[in-house]
Amino acid sequence: MSRLMNVLLGSVLSWILLTSSAFAATYYVATNGSDSNSCSQSNPCQTIAKGISLLQAGDTLYLRQGNYGQGIRTQFFNIPSGSSWSNSVTIAGYPGETVTLQYIDLNTISVIDAAPTIAYVIFDNFIVDGGGVFFAGVTHLRLQNSEVKNTPLSGISTWGYQTADVQLINLKVHNNGNGDHDHGMYLDSPNLLVEGCDIYGNSGYGIQLYNGYTGRGIDNAVIRKNRIHDNQLSVHGAGGVTLNHGINIQFYNNLVYNNPTGVDISYGVSNAQVLNNTIYNNQLGSGVSLGGQ
C-alpha cells in the first residue's frame, strides 16, 4: 500500500471519528420542565420518556435533581443502543445532584432465545429506591456511581440467555430483600464485572452467582475491590458471597466481614481464583468454604 493511500485512509478514519463525536447530543430533563421544550439545558423536558425518545448512539441524557416517581423500564420506553463503549448511550443524574428513581428495568426477552435488543448503555449517578435494577436479554450494560436500596426482592438481578457483559461499578447496594432468597446482587450471566461496591444489610447473600434462571455458565466473572458486610445478620444461613456455576471466576481484593458466612465456592465452579481478600468475623461458617458438585 502506498504512502499516499495510508494518508488518505488515515484522513477518512479521522473524519469519521470527528463526525460521529460532533453529532453526539446532550439532552436534559427536569421535574419543572415541559415536554414542549427542546430538552436543552436551558429548556429541559419534563418526562424521562420524552428525553429517551430523542437519544441515539453517542448521546447523553441528564436528569436534573428530583424524585421521578417511577423509573426507567423497557415496557414503557424504547431505549436505543450504542455501538461501543466509546459510542454508548448514557442516561445519568446530573453531576452533583441527587436523582431518585424507583427502578431501572431493562427486559427485552420475548422468547427464550431472543436476541438482545439493547447494548452499550450506561446508567450513572442514580438513587434507585424501592424497585431495584433488573437486566434481562441485554448486553454491554453498565451501572455506576449509584445507590440501590429498599427493594422487596434482590437489589440487582441479571438473567436471560443473551444477557452478558454487565458492569456494576462503584455502587452502594443495601437493605434489599425480605428473605433468604433475596440478595444484594443475584447475578446469572457471563462476563460480569463487579467493582468498588459497598454491599450490606441485604436479607440474603451480598453477592450470589447462581444460574437458577437459565442453567448456563456464569463464566469469566470478575469481582474485585468490594466491601461485602453485615448481610442477613438477623436470619440464620448465608450472608456473604456464594460463587456457583462458572468457569474462570476471579474474586480478589475484597473485604468480606460481619456476615453469617464468608465466601462459599460451590456448585459447578472450575478455575475459580480467590486471592488477596480480607475475610473476618463471619459468625456461622468458614471464611472460605468449598462444596457442592
Side-chain angles (χ1 to χ4, degrees):
M1 186 180 291
S2 69
R3 181 178 178 184
L4 177 59
M5 183 63 70
N6 284 329
V7 170
L8 289 173
L9 287 174
S11 298
V12 170
L13 179 59
S14 298
W15 180 85
I16 292 171
L17 293 173
L18 287 171
T19 302
S20 67
S21 63
F23 284 123
T26 303
Y27 301 102
Y28 297 83
V29 172
T31 56
N32 61 351
S34 170
D35 281 357
S36 62
N37 288 343
S38 62
C39 296
S40 66
Q41 187 167 14
S42 57
N43 292 287
C45 304
Q46 185 178 45
T47 65
I48 300 172
K50 175 64 175 179
I52 286 177
S53 72
L54 301 174
L55 292 175
Q56 300 181 44
D59 291 349
T60 298
L61 175 65
Y62 281 124
L63 277 60
R64 301 304 302 263
Q65 181 159 324
N67 189 329
Y68 285 81
Q70 295 184 346
I72 298 171
R73 176 176 286 175
T74 48
Q75 180 180 353
F76 306 121
F77 304 143
N78 184 21
I79 299 172
S81 292
S83 60
S84 66
W85 284 125
S86 61
N87 194 44
S88 62
V89 169
T90 300
I91 303 173
Y94 191 77
E97 296 185 358
T98 300
V99 177
T100 301
L101 307 173
Q102 186 179 357
Y103 50 75
I104 298 175
D105 184 350
L106 274 64
N107 181 3
T108 67
I109 294 175
S110 58
V111 294
I112 197 167
D113 60 348
T117 57
I118 299 176
Y120 293 108
V121 177
I122 298 172
F123 296 95
D124 188 12
N125 188 35
F126 289 115
I127 294 175
V128 181
D129 189 354
V133 175
F134 186 70
F135 293 147
V138 297
T139 183
H140 294 91
L141 270 288
R142 180 185 299 159
L143 175 67
Q144 62 187 19
N145 306 319
S146 297
E147 181 176 4
V148 181
K149 62 182 180 180
N150 300 327
T151 304
L153 302 174
S154 295
I156 299 174
S157 299
T158 71
W159 72 284
Y161 288 89
Q162 301 299 325
T163 304
D165 296 279
V166 173
Q167 300 181 359
L168 307 170
I169 301 173
N170 192 28
L171 307 178
K172 184 181 290 186
V173 181
H174 64 98
N175 297 101
N176 298 290
N178 289 313
D180 293 359
H181 300 292
D182 305 323
H183 313 291
M185 298 182 180
Y186 187 167
L187 307 177
D188 178 7
S189 52
N191 305 328
L192 291 161
L193 173 63
V194 182
E195 179 179 86
C197 299
D198 190 10
I199 305 167
Y200 63 93
N202 302 288
S203 66
Y205 285 103
I207 298 175
Q208 174 165 265
L209 304 190
Y210 197 86
N211 68 356
Y213 291 124
T214 64
R216 67 175 180 158
I218 309 170
D219 301 336
N220 306 314
V222 176
I223 303 172
R224 63 191 180 199
K225 302 177 183 178
N226 304 285
R227 296 174 62 221
I228 303 127
H229 60 100
D230 298 290
N231 295 286
Q232 208 191 46
L233 286 182
S234 62
V235 183
H236 68 278
V241 178
T242 179
L243 308 176
N244 304 275
H245 307 123
I247 301 170
N248 300 326
I249 297 172
Q250 298 181 52
F251 185 88
Y252 62 91
N253 293 349
N254 301 284
L255 294 174
V256 184
Y257 61 95
N258 289 357
N259 307 288
T261 60
V263 179
D264 174 33
I265 305 167
S266 193
Y267 303 98
V269 173
S270 64
N271 197 35
Q273 299 183 41
V274 178
L275 305 169
N276 301 321
N277 301 284
T278 300
I279 303 170
Y280 67 95
N281 200 35
N282 299 287
Q283 298 90 344
L284 300 180
S286 304
V288 177
S289 62
L290 302 174
Q293 301 178 10

